[in-house]
Amino acid sequence: MSEQTSAEQTGSEQTGPGAPKGIFSKDLLDACISCGFCLPACPTYALTGQEQSSPRGRITLMRLLETGDLAPDDATLAEEASLCLGCRACETVCPAGVQYGHLLEEWRDEQWSGLKRPWIVRPLLLVANRKWVLRILGLVRRSARKRSGATGQPTLMLGCFERGLFPSVSRGIAALDPDLAVDPDQGCCGALHAHNGELEQGRDLARKLGERLPGTIVTTSGGCAAHLADVIGRERVVEASEWLLKKSTGIGTETDTNTDTNTDTNTDAAPAQRPLCVGLQDSCHLRNGLGVWKEPRELLGRTATYVELPSAGSCCGAAGTYALVRKKESRAILAKKIAEIEAADLDLVIAVNPGCLRQLQTGLRKSKSRTKAVHIVDYLRGPKV
């Protein structure tokens, strides 16, 4: 999407009632033909059955806001801007190519500005804004350490909260690919900002990260990958499963196949090990924004008995800050996902995004499931990290 301001993109000098407010990019808002193909793909439409909670309904609300037919403080606008997961599943079925994710970012840039932003999001943005805090977080939690890497090889993006929540992930991919460079003095990619009402700052942070990390950037977060690629270019961003598949000459060999290691194989009477039974939870933005979904499945299929969950490609309810802002709806979406995992009797469910991983781990723990949720990097690395 062009980085022109929305006001410039309206291209209209019309004034008075009905004149464009410059909140949305005109080309994005005009693209929707209201066909309704998006409705079956929308998790919140499935949850509520309400047209206004579908992508088509929300775009109608955006148009009413843009023309001034709805006031900015209209309660329905606030509710629907918040209720949307931002999963972008609608984009994959849209015949008109509507960039709904960008429209939602522009909508929240207006709806969630300043004190209108959900209070629980504010401290997260404050932390992500401070590079020195992220560096200390990585030091304390022992995320991947600084190293130069091989000449011309990519640099690892460490992520903000992944450094604190799942530090083994960066250590794991650094171990799987010793040629990756690691620079701990890197900031946030800005995805958190762009999705939560600070669109320009989110883009600025992505640009700065692109300047800090030259060449190709490898990321272990599907959501960050999509935002970063949108700002600095797809050719510079590679998600971890894409990268590991490309480098995977050793993954999937007999000796690397993951098995149920609880079995003692050193005795003659030991039963044969069985391959782990694993499923996958896609990252919405990775799948719907970047089209990356085959790669993790291929890696898992090489190393375990892979089971495709019925809703693997739909949102788990994490959706960035959604699990914090819309707890009730997030839990309702997650409950169906957990029921599927239980029915499949998986050993592991694999995530390719830290937010999804946290969401699944929380749901599985509360349901006292035997299934564990792990990041694909930790799974491929095994218990060595």
Side-chain angles (χ1 to χ4, degrees), residues 338 342 362-370:
I338 297 299
E342 290 286 273
T362 300
L364 292 169
R365 184 173 60 251
K366 288 183 176 177
S367 68
K368 302 186 185 323
S369 173
R370 80 171 189 88

Side-chain angles (χ1 to χ4, degrees), residues 19-86:
K21 305 299 181 187
I23 298 169
F24 300 97
S25 301
K26 185 178 186 316
D27 55 338
L28 297 184
L29 202 55
D30 287 349
C32 178
I33 57 175
S34 300
C35 64
F37 282 19
C38 54
L39 270 64
C42 177
T44 54
Y45 179 72
L47 202 63
T48 66
Q50 300 294 315
E51 167 76 15
Q52 64 195 25
S53 300
S54 72
R56 183 176 66 181
R58 291 191 177 103
I59 289 175
T60 299
L61 292 173
M62 293 177 199
R63 286 169 170 164
L64 293 172
L65 173 64
E66 179 70 12
T67 58
D69 291 306
L70 277 180
D73 60 354
D74 183 272
T76 304
L77 289 174
E79 169 65 11
E80 293 303 331
S82 169
L83 181 61
C84 181
L85 288 151

